[in-house]
Amino acid sequence: MYSGLKKLRQSARRKNYVYGICLGIFSAAIGAPAFAQDVNKDWEHVTSSIKQDAVTEAKIKEILGSMTLRQKVGQMTQAEIKSAKPEDVTKYYLGSVLNGGGSWPQMNQKAALADWVKLSDDYFKASLATDLKTPIPLIWGIDAVHGNNNIHGATLYPHNIGLGAARDPELVKEIAAATAKAVRAGGINWAFAPTVAVVQNPRWGRTYESYSSNPQLVRIYAKAYTEGLQGDLKDPANVVGSVKHFLGDGGTFNGVDQGKNYSSEQELINTFAQGYYGALSAGMQTVMITYSEWNNDDALKHQNSPKGKIHGNQYLITDVLKGKLGFDGLVVSDYDAIGQIPGCTKDHCAQAVNAGTDLFMVPNDWKAFIDNTVNDVEEGRIPMSRIDDAVARILRVKMRSGLFNENPAHNKYAGDVDAISNKALARRAVSESLVLLKNNKQTLPLATDKKVLVVGKSADSMPNQSGGWSKTWQGDEVDNSDFPNGETLLASLKSQYGDKLVYSADGKGVNPKDFAAIIAVVGETPYAEMKGDILLPQPLTSDDRMKADKDALKAVAGKGVPVVTILYSGRPLYINDVLNFSDSVVSAWLPGTEAGGISDVILRNKNAQKDFRGRLSFAWPSDPCPPSQNVEQGNYKPLFKYGYGLSYGDKKTVGRLVVKTGNCPVK
């Protein structure tokens, strides 16, 4: 299916009129959006594109036979770079380090590429300086989720929700390949991406990390992303990926982060597992476990499958992932997640080890984790066979990724400034991901030979434009100077309008009637997991994050001048008031550092007019308190259905909408 879609998209780029045909075929291929359909009764066995080979397996067995228990547990331990120095890697046989969101060399947010590469080199050399009979190289993991969003000056691409709207697996593959180079530029060879959550409730603060509510679209994208990021692990630009978060984190009750998923096992199979099928078939080498719980009674039907946190669920991790799906790579825990299992702490959890997790992200408590796990084995709470399985999988991934052959700090892209930048690709991705929600009186495209007023703080805000996981975990505590190579929408518009453009962040002190058109940029302030949740009884409006921009829109609307609103958001939101104030509304999602892709579409170009290609990968709410899946249920109908999106040739008019206020009932 994927190769056919790729050809269609290439054809669509050559001729715009083909795009409508392409979109129709693509939409048919992925089916209608739905929660789990009764398609598969059991888990799929996945045939990976990366196979085991006898030479590698024999070497793994040889190395295992020469290791002590403490050395093995050291390999199963992943520490934060803030808490583990290179000499610790040597002393404790650490198998891995990570830098979480908001962690950089010497804790310098603007660290140069050379600083990243130097630290990588120090860690790698330290891992080879142990007394192990066969030195085992360290692997460094990084959250690079929309480009290498940690490195100063790197290009940031649209978050996954925007890419889902683009309906372009080839684009996703290209972005993954560019991200891999950017990760290599820092001397690192493991990216914690892609996220393949099939989000069912946009209240969840990580909705923007999901491509779609449609499991088949997620499956196609997961495969494409893995192909771009990992390739066959032979190219210098390839890095190891990590598909996450296993399993069902997009379906927690009421969209609560790290909450409870009440889905049946069949729903897990047909909805939430689809991205894993796609990624694993393309050779994905690591899987990260979710913070969420599986709390359906189906869990109790299986031995070693308790209700509760999936980090402690042996059935899903060992029997399903490693058994039925056939996954032979390594399973990594999430940040401090083992501490959420009842009876466990951040540094001690035999249940998680026995459940099948191989590498433990214990960022600050890693010393105690090693001691406690060694003690658990010695006292019989963890069998040695489980330790050997974990270390064998870690060694297999390290060997496949070339770590035994090359220091990542010596990779051809390490320290290469050009490898962290691909502005043209990012700009194209932005232009393809835009969804035109409303265009009454064909207000768009806008002419550039007349005066225009731009309002809204988000017009000149790289943080609002980029969202969470942008330099810091939540995307906060940064400003435009932290994105030196990016372009805000205001800067892009100024390059087109020159002195015919006037900017007023709050919409005050200007007379709208002096202008031919008004562009209002309304955006959410950044957020990531936990802090981004819109918890009941709050309405699905995000008004607290958009108040200043909404006020600016209100100040200039209704004055007889056409208003075009550009919306930055990490999810579909109830914005009936914004739609009423605007003649045209464009959902730009979280476009990243190249907002010029918006200008490319909304401004008139006499030579080659770009059209809107984006189509909703999530339904758009018609009510501030929509049902969890935001699809047609009972009397509820979305304002804009999955797959909706206008083009310039469409004459559809969006009428005045009822605006509801107040809190939602808690269910």
Side-chain angles (χ1 to χ4, degrees):
M1 186 195 313
Y2 172 57
S3 61
L5 291 171
K6 180 166 65 174
K7 291 176 182 177
L8 283 167
R9 283 296 291 192
Q10 289 170 344
S11 173
R13 289 199 186 105
R14 288 193 296 270
K15 294 184 178 181
N16 267 346
Y17 70 85
V18 177
Y19 179 70
I21 301 173
C22 168
L23 181 66
I25 295 175
F26 186 76
S27 299
I30 61 172
F35 202 53
Q37 297 294 311
D38 296 339
V39 178
N40 295 322
K41 301 295 183 182
D42 201 357
W43 304 89
E44 294 182 28
H45 180 80
V46 180
T47 300
S48 174
S49 63
I50 297 179
K51 315 294 184 185
Q52 287 192 16
D53 69 89
V55 173
T56 298
E57 296 307 306
K59 186 64 176 177
I60 291 171
K61 186 175 181 180
E62 177 188 337
I63 294 174
L64 275 173
S66 69
M67 297 174 71
T68 67
L69 172 60
R70 187 163 289 272
Q71 289 168 343
K72 292 175 181 177
V73 175
Q75 282 297 303
M76 296 170 62
T77 306
Q78 185 179 63
E80 233 283 352
I81 64 171
K82 290 185 289 190
S83 67
K85 299 177 181 178
E87 52 264 37
D88 292 322
V89 173
T90 305
K91 182 177 180 180
Y92 295 95
Y93 311 99
L94 294 178
S96 181
V97 294
L98 82 146
N99 65 290
S103 180
W104 317 272
Q106 293 82 50
M107 282 308 294
N108 176 13
Q109 185 196 116
K110 298 183 179 180
L113 268 181
D115 298 325
W116 287 89
V117 175
K118 173 63 166 58
L119 186 57
S120 171
D121 192 42
D122 290 345
Y123 277 127
F124 190 87
K125 289 177 178 176
S127 69
L128 302 184
T130 67
D131 59 0
L132 278 161
K133 182 178 179 181
T134 300
I136 302 175
L138 170 141
I139 188 168
W140 180 343
I142 188 169
D143 282 296
V145 298
H146 62 137
N148 194 348
N149 42 273
N150 308 273
I151 287 184
H152 191 64
T155 297
L156 302 188
Y157 303 93
H159 269 295
N160 286 357
I161 193 169
L163 299 181
R167 298 294 203 281
D168 190 345
E170 181 64 25
L171 173 66
V172 169
K173 184 176 179 179
E174 289 182 57
I175 289 173
T179 299
K181 283 185 181 179
V183 170
R184 281 291 192 181
I188 298 171
N189 78 322
W190 185 11
F192 298 142
T195 299
V196 296
V198 185
V199 173
Q200 301 298 306
N201 193 321
R203 291 182 177 278
W204 190 35
R206 302 188 78 158
T207 296
Y208 61 83
E209 295 185 56
S210 172
Y211 296 119
S212 178
S213 61
N214 187 302
Q216 292 305 312
L217 178 56
V218 173
R219 179 172 183 153
I220 292 168
Y221 270 25
K223 182 175 187 292
Y225 194 96
T226 302
E227 290 172 347
L229 191 75
Q230 284 194 169
D232 59 4
L233 291 175
K234 305 296 185 185
D235 191 284
N238 296 156
V239 299
V240 175
S242 189
V243 63
K244 60 186 186 180
H245 303 84
F246 191 83
L247 180 68
D249 53 349
T252 57
F253 184 62
N254 286 334
V256 175
D257 188 61
Q258 304 182 20
K260 299 179 180 181
N261 188 318
Y262 291 103
S263 297
S264 67
E265 185 168 1
Q266 194 163 330
E267 289 168 339
L268 292 184
I269 291 169
N270 290 290
T271 296
F272 300 107
Q274 292 300 315
Y276 298 90
Y277 299 145
L280 297 186
S281 71
M284 179 57 68
Q285 290 298 292
T286 80
V287 175
M288 187 180 292
I289 305 301
T290 179
Y291 284 109
S292 304
E293 303 182 22
W294 184 31
N295 274 64
N296 189 279
D297 286 342
D298 281 0
L300 302 179
K301 296 177 182 178
H302 304 285
Q303 187 177 7
N304 301 318
S305 179
K307 283 185 178 182
K309 295 291 181 178
I310 292 177
H311 272 84
N313 192 302
Q314 185 174 338
Y315 172 69
L316 288 179
I317 299 174
T318 297
D319 298 349
V320 171
L321 178 60
K322 294 181 175 181
K324 294 186 177 185
L325 272 64
F327 176 62
D328 70 353
L330 72 85
V331 175
V332 61
S333 67
D334 209 337
Y335 201 100
D336 275 337
I338 61 172
Q340 296 187 7
I341 298 173
C344 291
T345 61
K346 293 178 181 179
D347 60 18
H348 189 197
C349 192
Q351 182 180 342
V353 179
N354 288 329
T357 298
D358 305 308
L359 184 60
F360 288 82
M361 195 183 293
V362 280
N364 303 306
D365 300 290
W366 50 271
K367 289 181 184 178
F369 172 79
I370 293 173
D371 289 339
N372 290 329
T373 304
V374 167
N375 188 54
D376 281 337
V377 177
E378 292 175 339
E379 296 190 5
R381 288 183 288 272
I382 299 173
M384 181 60 77
S385 60
R386 172 76 274 273
I387 300 298
D388 286 345
D389 173 61
V391 179
R393 290 168 176 274
I394 293 166
L395 290 172
R396 186 176 296 124
V397 171
K398 289 182 176 182
M399 289 181 181
R400 285 174 172 172
S401 64
L403 277 172
F404 279 80
N405 303 319
E406 181 191 59
N407 179 343
H410 298 163
N411 180 274
K412 67 178 288 187
Y413 295 105
D416 183 356
V417 175
D418 290 337
I420 66 172
S421 177
N422 197 328
K423 295 168 71 70
L425 175 60
R427 186 164 181 153
R428 173 161 63 86
V430 172
S431 69
E432 290 195 23
S433 65
L434 305 174
V435 179
L436 181 58
L437 301 177
K438 178 180 181 180
N439 194 27
N440 288 9
K441 300 177 183 178
Q442 281 67 59
T443 304
L444 289 173
L446 293 174
T448 57
D449 59 352
K450 299 177 182 178
K451 289 184 67 176
V452 65
L453 172 65
V454 178
V455 301
K457 291 182 178 180
S458 292
D460 195 34
S461 172
M462 291 300 298
N464 289 11
Q465 185 175 304
S466 301
W469 296 107
S470 300
K471 297 300 294 289
T472 65
W473 172 36
Q474 295 286 330
D476 55 3
E477 300 179 353
V478 292
D479 57 33
N480 286 3
S481 68
D482 295 305
F483 305 87
N485 298 323
E487 182 180 48
T488 66
L489 180 54
L490 180 64
S492 176
L493 292 170
K494 281 183 175 179
S495 72
Q496 298 292 316
Y497 282 97
D499 59 9
K500 294 189 293 293
L501 182 149
V502 173
Y503 175 55
S504 172
D506 59 9
K508 298 177 181 178
V510 290
N511 183 359
K513 294 184 178 180
D514 291 339
F515 303 90
I518 299 167
I519 300 174
V521 188
V522 176
E524 292 186 289
T525 52
Y527 54 82
E529 55 198 300
M530 294 186 289
K531 293 185 180 180
D533 286 3
I534 299 179
L535 300 174
L536 287 171
Q538 298 175 59
L540 189 61
T541 59
S542 205
D543 281 352
D544 56 332
R545 296 182 180 275
M546 305 165 68
K547 185 178 187 307
D549 286 343
K550 276 193 170 186
D551 287 345
L553 169 62
K554 293 175 184 177
V556 298
K559 304 296 192 296
V561 180
V563 176
V564 174
T565 295
I566 309 298
L567 178 68
Y568 292 158
S569 72
R571 51 194 150 206
L573 292 165
Y574 178 72
I575 55 162
N576 283 15
D577 53 347
V578 171
L579 286 157
N580 286 343
F581 282 121
S582 313
D583 296 280
S584 297
V585 176
V586 177
S587 175
W589 311 108
L590 298 172
T593 52
E594 296 303 320
I598 302 173
S599 298
D600 290 343
V601 182
I602 69 170
L603 301 183
R604 184 167 294 140
N605 186 325
K606 295 179 181 178
N607 297 319
Q609 180 66 54
K610 279 198 171 185
D611 205 346
F612 285 91
R613 292 186 168 188
R615 300 295 182 263
L616 292 179
S617 58
F618 292 86
W620 201 277
S622 60
D623 190 280
C625 309
S628 62
Q629 296 165 236
N630 197 23
V631 295
E632 292 191 44
Q633 296 181 15
N635 295 325
Y636 177 78
K637 294 184 182 298
L639 180 61
F640 305 121
K641 293 183 179 182
Y642 173 97
Y644 173 90
L646 301 176
S647 298
Y648 278 135
D650 294 325
K651 305 298 184 182
K652 178 180 174 61
T653 296
V654 177
R656 187 161 188 84
L657 302 168
V658 174
V659 178
K660 300 179 182 178
T661 59
N663 286 338
C664 302
V666 179
K667 298 179 181 178

